[in-house]
Amino acid sequence: MAKQTPLNIQCFVKKDFQSIFTGDNQPKLLYVSDIRPDTSIHPRVMHAHKDFVEISLICSGISEYLIHDKKQIIRQGDMLIYNSSVVHDEVPNMDASVGSYCIAIGGLHMPGLRKNALISDDAGYVFPTGEHFEAMRTICEMMFKSLSSGEPRAEAFCHSLMHALLVKALTVVAGKEVEKDEVVEEPDILGLRIKKYIDDHFTEPITLQSIATALYISPYYLSHVFKEMSGYSPMQYLLRRRIGEAQTLLLTTDYSITMIAGMVGYDTHSYFNSQFTKHVGMSPMKYRQNYIVSVEDKTKPNKKKKKKS
């Protein structure tokens, strides 16, 4: 007699299940970005987030990113996790059109980790999602569509989806094969010292000579070591740090373009404009206008936008 297939299957939650998002660990969704392949020609230049974690799900394409101190190839299906203060950069490549979702989450205090770190700082940054990719992509898509449409209770809906995404992310990380720690060579230690100095002082009027003086090494040796480690000269890295910070301020504040130029280390508005346009592919004003989805404008079509200068 053939075995009957049950018509219904009921799955139970374990009685001892406890959420990891309790006590001081109260994640808060800050934003969701849908980066289309056709917009990736305008890169999100080198930057770090001081007080939140960013998860990026690569949905299409392949490219090279600088993450912390090394360049890494990223491709469709990869999940990138940037703990707070991790510098990352989309290395320019005209042939690379990458589509991705980026999710920013604050308020994280995972057990045993520093504040606003989803995973251990030595766990890595790039994680192939494998069988979890479609589920994660669907979650991100629902979050973006809900928030961008301004539907009622979108924030509450997306907050719950964020919890689901975090659990999936931790599942992917847990399934990654543990790699042996690399031995850090002496030049790399110096390269990291140079990187830290620039990261700490990039808004100030620093030069190659002033960096070399501060670290007690010759400008030539400094440039050689840093280029070997990161692929950038110290001054290229400094410029991209400034432009990346400017992008963050353009997207997250209402500061004027002139004020932002001064905040990231530029003396003149015109020179900042020219450098930003050269490295991003559009002016600071256009970047601000093009990259923010305004739900308010969608729900109130007659409301005029407040001009920013």
Side-chain angles (χ1 to χ4, degrees):
M1 185 175 179
K3 186 178 180 180
Q4 288 187 340
T5 302
L7 297 178
N8 299 293
I9 297 176
Q10 185 165 314
C11 299
F12 290 90
V13 174
K14 293 180 180 178
K15 292 182 179 180
D16 60 351
F17 165 75
Q18 290 184 343
S19 174
I20 58 175
F21 307 117
T22 59
D24 293 334
N25 192 22
Q26 295 292 331
K28 181 179 180 181
L29 181 65
L30 302 178
Y31 63 72
V32 181
S33 300
D34 177 9
I35 312 299
R36 302 188 309 271
D38 60 317
T39 63
S40 67
I41 60 171
H42 305 293
R44 184 69 170 90
V45 183
M46 191 180 297
H47 64 290
H49 309 293
K50 294 179 182 178
D51 53 5
F52 61 85
V53 172
E54 187 176 71
I55 298 174
S56 182
L57 183 67
I58 308 301
C59 297
S60 63
I62 182 171
S63 190
E64 187 179 45
Y65 284 12
L66 174 70
I67 306 176
H68 186 43
D69 61 333
K70 290 182 175 60
K71 289 186 177 181
Q72 302 193 42
I73 299 297
I74 60 94
R75 50 178 52 84
Q76 180 179 339
D78 284 345
M79 172 184 66
L80 315 181
I81 297 181
Y82 305 122
N83 287 342
S84 63
S85 302
V86 172
V87 176
H88 47 288
D89 183 25
E90 299 173 12
V91 181
N93 184 344
M94 295 304 293
D95 297 327
S97 298
V98 173
S100 64
Y101 285 104
C102 294
I103 317 296
I105 302 165
L108 277 168
H109 203 164
M110 301 292 291
L113 301 180
R114 65 180 175 86
K115 191 174 181 182
N116 286 315
L118 177 62
I119 58 177
S120 171
D121 287 316
D122 59 3
Y125 309 99
V126 182
F127 304 89
T129 56
E131 63 183 8
H132 302 285
F133 172 71
E134 282 302 327
M136 296 182 75
R137 186 195 62 77
T138 299
I139 292 171
C140 293
E141 182 180 27
M142 287 193 294
M143 292 169 76
F144 181 79
K145 285 184 176 180
S146 181
L147 284 173
S148 62
S149 67
E151 67 180 41
R153 299 183 179 176
E155 285 78 10
F157 177 62
C158 291
H159 185 79
S160 296
L161 289 176
M162 172 200 64
H163 280 190
L165 184 69
L166 286 172
V167 172
K168 276 290 186 186
L170 292 172
T171 301
V172 169
V173 172
K176 181 185 178 184
E177 184 178 348
V178 178
E179 299 177 352
K180 293 182 179 179
D181 293 337
E182 295 182 3
V183 177
V184 181
E185 302 292 340
E186 187 174 344
D188 290 332
I189 294 174
L190 178 56
L192 289 171
R193 283 180 60 209
I194 298 166
K195 176 185 178 298
K196 185 178 188 309
Y197 186 88
I198 300 175
D199 288 338
D200 290 344
H201 300 276
F202 72 90
T203 62
E204 303 168 15
I206 59 176
T207 64
L208 182 62
Q209 183 59 58
S210 68
I211 300 170
T213 300
L215 299 178
Y216 302 102
I217 51 178
S218 74
Y220 173 80
Y221 186 57
L222 183 151
S223 296
H224 173 73
V225 168
F226 193 76
K227 183 74 178 286
E228 281 289 308
M229 184 190 79
S230 70
Y232 289 122
S233 73
M235 292 299 98
Q236 287 174 325
Y237 185 90
L238 172 65
L239 184 148
R240 293 185 71 81
R241 278 296 271 128
R242 287 174 170 172
I243 296 299
E245 181 68 13
Q247 287 178 298
T248 298
L249 292 170
L250 286 165
L251 294 176
T252 60
T253 74
D254 288 325
Y255 296 147
S256 69
I257 306 298
T258 301
M259 183 180 293
I260 290 174
M263 291 173 69
V264 300
Y266 287 95
D267 294 330
T268 66
H269 175 275
S270 59
Y271 186 62
F272 166 67
N273 261 349
S274 66
Q275 290 298 304
F276 188 97
T277 302
K278 177 181 178 181
H279 289 86
V280 179
M282 62 177 67
S283 70
M285 177 63 76
K286 189 173 181 181
Y287 182 82
R288 171 176 266 169
Q289 292 172 339
N290 284 8
Y291 280 79
I292 299 178
V293 176
S294 177
V295 174
E296 201 171 57
D297 287 344
K298 288 186 175 184
T299 56
K300 300 178 181 179
N302 294 325
K303 182 176 179 180
K304 294 183 179 179
K305 275 191 176 182
K306 183 179 179 181
K307 290 185 178 180
K308 299 181 179 116
S309 58

